[in-house]
Amino acid sequence: ERKGCFRSDLLGSGVRRGAGTVCSAAPAMRKLSARRNMSGEGDIDEGFYSRQLYVLGHDAMRRMAAANVLVAGMRGLGVEIAKNVILAGVKSVTVQDEGRTAWTDLSSQFFLKESHLGQNRATCSQQQLCDLNPRVRVSAHTGPLNDDDGLVLFQVVVLTDSSLDDQKRFGDFCHLRGIQFIVADTKGLCGQLFCDFGEEFEVWDRDGETPETAIVQSISKDNPGVVICLNEGSLRFSEGSKVSFSEVQGMTELNSLGPVEMKVHGPYSFSIGDTSAFSQYERGGIVTEVKQPLKMNFKPLSKALPDHQLLKMSDFGKIPRHNTLHLAFQALHGFVKTERRLPLPRSQADADALLSAVRELNTVAQLEQLDEAAVRNLAFTARGDLAPMNAFIGGLAAQEVIKACSGKFTPLQQWLYFDALECLPEEEDQLAEHCFSRETRYDGQIAVFGSAFQEKLERQRYFLVGAGAIGCELLKNFALIGLGAGDEGHVTVTDMDFIEKSNLNRQFLFRTQDIRKPKSVIAAKAVLEMNPRMNITAHQNRVDPDSEGAYDYDFYMSLHGVAAALDNVPARVYLDGRCVQHQKPMLEGGTQGSRGHTLVVVPHLTESYGRDTSHSNDAIPLCTLKNFPHRIEHTLQWARDHFEGEFKQTPENLNLFLRDEGFVERTLRRGDAEALEVLEEIWGNLVDITAEGKRPTSWKDCVTWARCKWETVYNSDIRQLLHCFPPDQMTTSGLHFWSGSKKCPHPLTFDPNSTTHMDYVVAAANLYGQIFGISGTRDPVSIRQILEEVHVPSFTPKSSVKIHVTDLEMEEEKEKDCDDARLAELKEKLASLSLKGSAKQMYPINFEKDEDSNFHMDYIVAASNLRAENYDIPAADRHQSKRIAGKIIPAIATTTAAVAGLMCLELYKLVQGHQKISSYRVSYFLLSVDHFVWSQPRNAQQKDRSLYSKARVVLRPNPAERLRLFLPDL
């Protein structure tokens, strides 16, 4: 009877609860073969999963969409894992918990309220978990777990808040049946994570990075053959990687050769084996990394427990401590089994007992060094349940679930420990055994830090800038820890953005009904639901020089600190400057896919964030964009530049001309060449097409313009380029002109039956109509009818045209190429008051990548892929094109949760007033391969100290530079 109830309750009955939200998985029983089918069902909602898709990809998402996951334990850590997994988009999540809500749960379980006290935790959490992602079926199981056939319904089983006996029992059961098994636990300021993915788990993409590519410069005919690549930045191929070749001329045998193993020789060279029997290399070639699958073997928990070689070191400065914690967690399970309770806060007797048990375990483990202080602190704080710790460990654990479901990224093998014991008071005697019980929603936190610290937290006044992904996670933590929730406390949050569908996948405070509403307002409302005692005010201001009236001296001086949840470096630099000016600490964090970074700036103690040292070194040369693209990134940027020029900049310039008498004179001061280009566009768009201008008067004119534009850029311009530089052109050095990074193009011929050709015309014509207020259509039949009547002017290449090969050459000859007579003529024409008075304004278009019906991405994708076809560059699909052209930063909820957790651990230190720089941490991590780097912040240099003392803003670059290296797209 219990087994039958367990099965049906786990996967639910498919009952709908709420508006369109599936709260439980239908059919109770599933065949094992169906469970093994990882191909996925249905389409992926790219609007919802947009940013996550750039982290995981479609294949991984489809695998995840077939996975059923069990999360046991619905305290703070369990709900954090479940939240992240549900947002990630698995097929179903079952949450299990027999326990009832207690006061200590409210300190970290964000879906439980005081009204839930005494009720089952899983049941109370289910509906809000359902609301996170209607695409995932969520059910609650309130009975005990049993190691029977019910568990085989799941691909992944996650245990939290579990006994060691249960971990061993369920671990053995899952290992035997090929079920991925994860254990996650936090006790106070210490956390533990364990993974067992079976005897032979296949990883098909170890790190999720885009395969490396390089342009071949030469290949020797030798044994081994040595490949030298163009100097476009150091090669990032790793030793032993496999690569494939394409477009090689001469030594064409390489093009049909399968992936070959390489040996790195230098920053631009590597060897590939025997090429002595191949033809002589002539020119060209692309070398591309070929990723190889990885098979991993895991031990069950019962066998992995004594194996210290399986400990993943998350902090190499704490190796003895984490080896000790591995024993200490085992001893803690023994203590609970014997005493039927956790150690009491700050109890010396309980700490002595735990330490004695660890020493006994070490008689077998034979660790050379025990960190006895860490064992005592674990005992002192084990009753603690801290939201920031659960956020960090929960983010890591959820990422492991994603790895298990998808086969993407390298799993943890197999143990990981993390501690933040530096958060404890710097003076040990600040805490006493009597100050840890208040029977409030903060009891789980008071058990670690005491009631006096809790009161101090509630008095804090903080300024949060940004209510996006990190901002939402920070606000959740602020509500749970009680930041600003007292009579004197307050949190101000500002964000000028409005909620979009693509936000919902990781900004978990928002729901579908909140789309187009202000982020800050909805986020503030959501955290008040979590903690009604929060004092919070929402603003919609951008924090920049224009808002210094709102955020003035008095405002900053009323604060205890600032938290930056921003998505760009210049905004971080500006906010840091304001903090330095007013001598306020700043917490800062950022993410890019599975990468995360946190930084804390403490006045007079640590180095400030830094000035913005970003520059144009990574910018694509104009000549590359204009004439010599060789990557899809080049054609996408070219398409984006055309979009901005045709549909935004030209209409804006024309409107400025119409209303501003001084526009022409200001334009002329920018140089004759630029002035000629701008004024030519203005004049053309003031004159109707019928009068040899560019201004349409009908939809037919818009289609005509689009067709002629197609002919110009994909046929005529290419023919002119080849006229100037024929395919067999040689340089003065006797080398082929079209070699290396210069790909020889070919003109295209318009074909109305080509989807891409028509996509360009439809999108371009509609956008052109929009800037003139003319309505268009998507109807291909009517557009083809218009195209049949379009007269496309013939083109003959001109020998007088000069095409620049380098940006320097272009810049030097820019003014020489200017037609002074034409510029004078345009000035005279535009001075006509009658023309100016009769002209109509235009309607500039701001590029919006996430609206699929506005023709913006239609145009970008078609324009870029046609350009790519000109140059034989592999095309990019819409999804990839949107990421590159829209400069989208990949994002996933797991990384965001982990970053916010680490930021709030630093917040604990700031509120306590830690003065030792060794107490603080800067963090960098990469969840895809479980790589972590922890360091203490740099000392405030003399210049920084003078800045704080003089309250002036002169910022040092180092932390910002380190962030930019780690998160280059930011």
Side-chain angles (χ1 to χ4, degrees):
E1 181 178 310
R2 175 176 291 177
K3 290 180 181 179
C5 176
F6 173 65
R7 288 185 179 181
S8 62
D9 198 16
L10 276 174
L11 290 181
S13 58
V15 177
R16 284 185 176 270
R17 303 179 186 177
T21 300
V22 180
C23 288
S24 55
M29 295 294 294
R30 307 208 189 281
K31 294 181 180 179
L32 189 61
S33 60
R35 185 181 73 82
R36 300 296 185 196
N37 179 11
M38 302 293 284
S39 62
E41 300 174 5
D43 295 330
I44 297 171
D45 187 342
E46 292 192 357
F48 181 83
Y49 293 115
S50 169
R51 305 308 186 257
Q52 179 178 289
L53 275 166
Y54 296 118
V55 182
L56 300 177
H58 287 76
D59 289 341
M61 288 290 297
R62 292 189 184 97
R63 290 183 177 91
M64 286 169 54
N68 301 311
V69 178
L70 170 67
V71 180
M74 275 294 104
R75 288 196 164 106
L77 179 58
V79 78
E80 182 68 46
I81 297 170
K83 179 256 291 181
N84 294 328
V85 172
I86 290 167
L87 289 172
V90 296
K91 184 175 184 178
S92 76
V93 172
T94 298
V95 294
Q96 180 274 340
D97 199 317
E98 295 180 77
R100 299 185 178 276
T101 305
W103 279 110
T104 51
D105 296 323
L106 303 185
S107 63
S108 68
Q109 220 284 23
F110 43 85
F111 285 154
L112 295 179
K113 305 176 182 178
E114 292 183 20
S115 59
H116 293 141
L117 291 170
Q119 300 178 44
N120 180 270
R121 287 187 288 258
T123 302
C124 293
S125 305
Q126 180 186 2
Q127 184 59 56
Q128 295 192 73
L129 288 169
C130 289
D131 294 341
L132 289 170
N133 187 351
R135 300 149 197 81
V136 177
R137 292 174 288 196
V138 181
S139 56
H141 176 61
T142 59
L145 286 182
N146 295 290
D147 51 352
D148 59 16
D149 290 342
L151 285 183
V152 302
L153 299 171
F154 301 98
Q155 279 73 57
V156 186
V157 171
V158 184
L159 298 189
T160 69
D161 192 32
S162 56
S163 69
L164 184 58
D165 289 341
D166 280 348
Q167 292 172 14
K168 292 178 179 178
R169 180 163 61 101
F170 289 111
D172 288 343
F173 180 91
C174 291
H175 186 88
L176 184 63
R177 289 159 180 81
I179 301 169
Q180 279 73 60
F181 179 69
I182 297 171
V183 172
D185 200 3
T186 61
K187 291 292 185 287
L189 288 163
C190 298
Q192 175 194 56
L193 188 60
F194 170 80
C195 293
D196 169 17
F197 289 3
E199 296 287 346
E200 195 172 78
F201 182 80
E202 185 171 44
V203 179
W204 56 272
D205 187 344
R206 304 183 190 198
D207 56 16
E209 299 297 324
T210 302
E212 291 293 327
T213 64
I215 299 173
V216 176
Q217 181 174 332
S218 68
I219 306 174
S220 69
K221 189 176 178 180
D222 206 347
N223 185 15
V226 176
V227 180
I228 300 177
C229 298
L230 287 181
N231 179 5
E232 290 192 317
S234 296
L235 299 178
R236 292 190 291 179
F237 296 118
S238 56
E239 189 71 26
S241 294
K242 291 191 175 183
V243 296
S244 63
F245 291 85
S246 60
E247 302 180 32
V248 175
Q249 297 183 39
M251 196 178 284
T252 55
E253 295 90 340
L254 286 175
N255 295 330
S256 57
L257 201 64
V260 295
E261 189 169 322
M262 58 173 289
K263 182 177 181 180
V264 176
H265 283 199
Y268 313 112
S269 63
F270 58 88
S271 60
I272 55 171
D274 190 359
T275 60
S276 58
F278 293 170
S279 305
Q280 191 70 36
Y281 173 81
E282 294 178 6
R283 58 173 166 161
I286 303 292
V287 58
T288 304
E289 176 189 12
V290 179
K291 292 198 168 187
Q292 300 297 306
L294 170 70
K295 289 189 177 180
M296 301 178 66
N297 179 270
F298 293 80
K299 293 181 178 180
L301 186 142
S302 57
K303 294 182 179 178
L305 199 62
D307 191 345
H308 280 254
Q309 298 300 314
L310 294 178
L311 264 67
K312 171 81 174 184
M313 287 303 144
S314 64
D315 189 338
F316 287 97
K318 296 181 175 180
I319 292 177
R321 177 178 294 181
H322 290 175
N323 279 320
T324 302
L325 285 176
H326 186 60
L327 299 181
F329 267 80
Q330 297 175 54
L332 189 61
H333 284 294
F335 182 98
V336 172
K337 187 174 182 179
T338 301
E339 302 294 332
R340 299 195 176 277
R341 63 172 176 83
L342 286 164
L344 298 174
R346 309 306 296 182
S347 169
Q348 294 293 339
D350 287 351
D352 290 341
L354 188 66
L355 181 57
S356 177
V358 170
R359 288 170 176 164
E360 184 175 346
L361 287 171
N362 196 42
T363 59
V364 177
Q366 294 292 303
L367 296 181
E368 293 182 4
Q369 181 181 353
L370 281 180
D371 189 335
E372 297 191 354
V375 177
R376 289 189 174 278
N377 281 324
L378 175 64
F380 291 156
T381 61
R383 290 200 172 213
D385 192 9
L386 301 175
M389 284 294 299
N390 290 331
F392 179 68
I393 297 297
L396 271 59
Q399 188 69 57
E400 297 304 312
V401 174
I402 292 171
K403 296 174 186 178
C405 295
S406 67
K408 180 124 183 205
F409 303 146
T410 305
L412 169 66
Q413 198 173 29
Q414 292 187 251
W415 294 98
L416 180 141
Y417 288 88
F418 170 78
D419 78 272
L421 294 174
E422 301 83 10
C423 293
L424 291 170
E426 291 178 328
E427 303 299 328
E428 294 186 7
D429 59 356
Q430 292 181 17
L431 295 175
E433 194 169 344
H434 65 272
C435 62
F436 292 93
S437 178
R438 281 175 46 177
E439 294 188 356
T440 72
R441 64 177 301 117
Y442 308 117
D443 277 0
Q445 187 165 258
I446 292 172
V448 176
F449 297 109
S451 55
F453 173 72
Q454 184 60 50
E455 293 168 3
K456 191 173 184 179
L457 264 177
E458 294 172 29
R459 293 194 298 268
Q460 295 293 296
R461 298 180 64 86
Y462 257 74
F463 184 30
L464 172 60
V465 185
I470 294 177
C472 284
E473 292 287 342
L474 285 174
L475 284 172
K476 172 201 73 179
N477 283 287
F478 289 175
L480 293 170
I481 69 177
L483 185 77
D487 292 339
E488 302 173 26
H490 193 270
V491 172
T492 301
V493 56
T494 187
D495 194 309
M496 69 285 185
D497 285 342
F498 291 80
I499 299 165
E500 301 173 356
K501 183 179 180 180
S502 62
N503 301 146
L504 305 182
N505 172 241
R506 64 204 182 282
Q507 300 175 21
F508 88 106
L509 298 181
F510 308 142
R511 303 290 180 266
T512 302
Q513 61 268 26
D514 299 324
I515 291 175
R516 298 187 182 89
K517 296 178 182 178
K519 286 186 176 181
S520 59
V521 174
I522 300 303
K525 181 180 178 182
V527 296
L528 280 171
E529 288 290 318
M530 293 182 185
N531 185 353
R533 295 178 178 83
M534 282 284 289
N535 301 309
I536 186 167
T537 301
H539 294 172
Q540 293 172 252
N541 301 320
R542 183 190 299 272
V543 177
D544 60 12
D546 292 337
S547 63
E548 289 182 5
Y551 308 122
D552 56 11
Y553 173 84
D554 291 338
F555 174 80
Y556 277 97
M557 295 311 294
S558 71
L559 300 174
H560 291 97
V562 174
L566 296 158
D567 61 0
N568 65 89
V569 170
R572 290 180 173 105
V573 170
Y574 171 79
L575 185 61
D576 177 60
R578 297 291 281 170
C579 291
V580 170
Q581 184 178 14
H582 297 95
Q583 303 184 50
K584 299 298 175 184
M586 184 180 81
L587 296 161
E588 188 276 322
T591 71
Q592 181 189 341
S594 64
R595 293 176 171 88
H597 156 89
T598 66
L599 173 73
V600 58
V601 178
V602 187
H604 307 287
L605 185 65
T606 73
E607 194 173 41
S608 62
Y609 176 81
R611 58 184 174 86
D612 186 4
T613 58
S614 59
H615 41 69
S616 59
N617 279 2
D618 295 330
I620 303 170
L622 291 177
C623 282
T624 299
L625 291 176
K626 191 173 178 63
N627 299 309
F628 309 115
H630 56 272
R631 295 180 183 273
I632 196 66
E633 290 84 357
H634 301 158
T635 66
L636 282 163
Q637 185 60 56
W638 176 89
R640 180 68 191 273
D641 289 347
H642 273 243
F643 182 99
E644 295 293 323
E646 295 284 359
F647 310 125
K648 185 175 188 291
Q649 293 170 3
T650 294
E652 286 179 343
N653 286 337
L654 185 140
N655 292 344
L656 280 172
F657 166 76
L658 292 177
R659 66 173 182 262
D660 187 345
E661 295 289 344
F663 175 79
V664 173
E665 290 303 319
R666 285 201 312 277
T667 303
L668 290 169
R669 289 198 291 269
R670 290 153 62 179
D672 288 353
E674 186 174 346
L676 178 61
E677 182 180 352
V678 172
L679 299 184
E680 192 77 76
E681 285 295 322
I682 290 175
W683 170 253
N685 285 287
L686 288 170
V687 180
D688 290 348
I689 285 180
T690 54
E692 298 186 355
K694 296 173 59 178
R695 191 179 189 88
T697 59
S698 65
W699 168 241
K700 181 179 178 181
D701 289 344
C702 297
V703 176
T704 299
W705 174 88
R707 173 64 184 88
C708 292
K709 191 71 174 180
W710 190 102
E711 192 71 19
T712 297
V713 295
Y714 300 116
N715 183 282
S716 303
D717 288 350
I718 301 299
R719 288 166 61 191
Q720 180 65 59
L721 177 62
L722 292 173
H723 178 77
C724 295
F725 302 107
D728 57 356
Q729 176 89 9
M730 304 295 288
T731 68
T732 55
S733 304
L735 301 175
H736 289 282
F737 177 84
W738 294 107
S739 63
S741 63
K742 292 185 178 68
K743 297 171 72 72
C744 186
H746 63 273
L748 304 182
T749 300
F750 184 77
D751 179 3
N753 295 315
S754 166
T755 300
T756 310
H757 293 201
M758 284 299 293
D759 283 348
Y760 176 90
V761 171
V762 172
N766 275 278
L767 291 169
Y768 200 62
Q770 288 174 24
I771 62 177
F772 291 102
I774 297 173
S775 297
T777 179
R778 287 184 181 270
D779 178 32
V781 175
S782 63
I783 293 174
R784 282 193 175 91
Q785 290 174 348
I786 297 173
L787 288 174
E788 291 174 359
E789 302 175 10
V790 173
H791 170 68
V792 179
S794 60
F795 174 79
T796 302
K798 301 178 179 65
S799 298
S800 59
V801 172
K802 181 173 182 180
I803 294 178
H804 304 294
V805 178
T806 67
D807 284 9
L808 179 61
E809 179 184 319
M810 181 188 297
E811 187 65 27
E812 289 175 345
E813 302 197 17
K814 181 170 64 175
E815 297 301 325
K816 297 179 185 178
D817 297 338
C818 181
D819 186 340
D820 294 336
R822 178 57 178 166
L823 180 60
E825 180 186 1
L826 286 170
K827 286 169 58 180
E828 183 178 346
K829 287 182 175 181
L830 292 172
S832 168
L833 293 177
S834 59
L835 173 64
K836 195 167 182 178
S838 65
K840 296 180 181 179
Q841 70 168 354
M842 294 175 69
Y843 304 94
I845 298 174
N846 291 313
F847 178 69
E848 173 48 62
K849 58 188 176 292
D850 289 321
E851 176 53 63
D852 288 337
S853 63
N854 62 10
F855 297 101
H856 297 193
M857 282 307 305
D858 296 345
Y859 175 86
I860 295 294
V861 174
S864 171
N865 284 340
L866 287 168
R867 179 79 163 171
E869 187 180 347
N870 277 137
Y871 286 86
D872 293 318
I873 299 169
D877 61 20
R878 187 184 185 92
H879 182 69
Q880 181 186 4
S881 298
K882 181 188 288 190
R883 176 184 64 82
I884 298 170
K887 295 178 170 55
I888 292 175
I889 299 173
I892 190 168
T894 50
T895 313
T896 304
V899 162
L902 293 176
M903 291 173 70
C904 288
L905 289 174
E906 299 304 306
L907 174 63
Y908 282 148
K909 304 168 188 177
L910 290 174
V911 174
Q912 291 181 85
H914 281 13
Q915 293 301 309
K916 298 176 182 177
I917 198 168
S918 59
S919 297
Y920 293 96
R921 291 290 181 272
V922 173
S923 66
Y924 303 90
F925 61 82
L926 187 56
L927 294 187
S928 59
V929 293
D930 294 308
H931 178 69
F932 304 88
V933 178
W934 313 94
S935 63
Q936 70 179 40
R938 292 191 179 188
N939 286 302
Q941 302 296 322
Q942 185 60 44
K943 185 181 292 186
D944 289 302
R945 295 192 183 101
S946 68
L947 291 178
Y948 287 120
S949 62
K950 296 178 181 179
R952 293 170 54 200
V953 184
V954 181
L955 302 172
R956 297 184 58 80
N958 293 325
E961 288 177 349
R962 290 197 297 273
L963 171 61
R964 192 171 295 104
L965 288 171
F966 196 73
L967 306 179
D969 288 355
L970 294 182

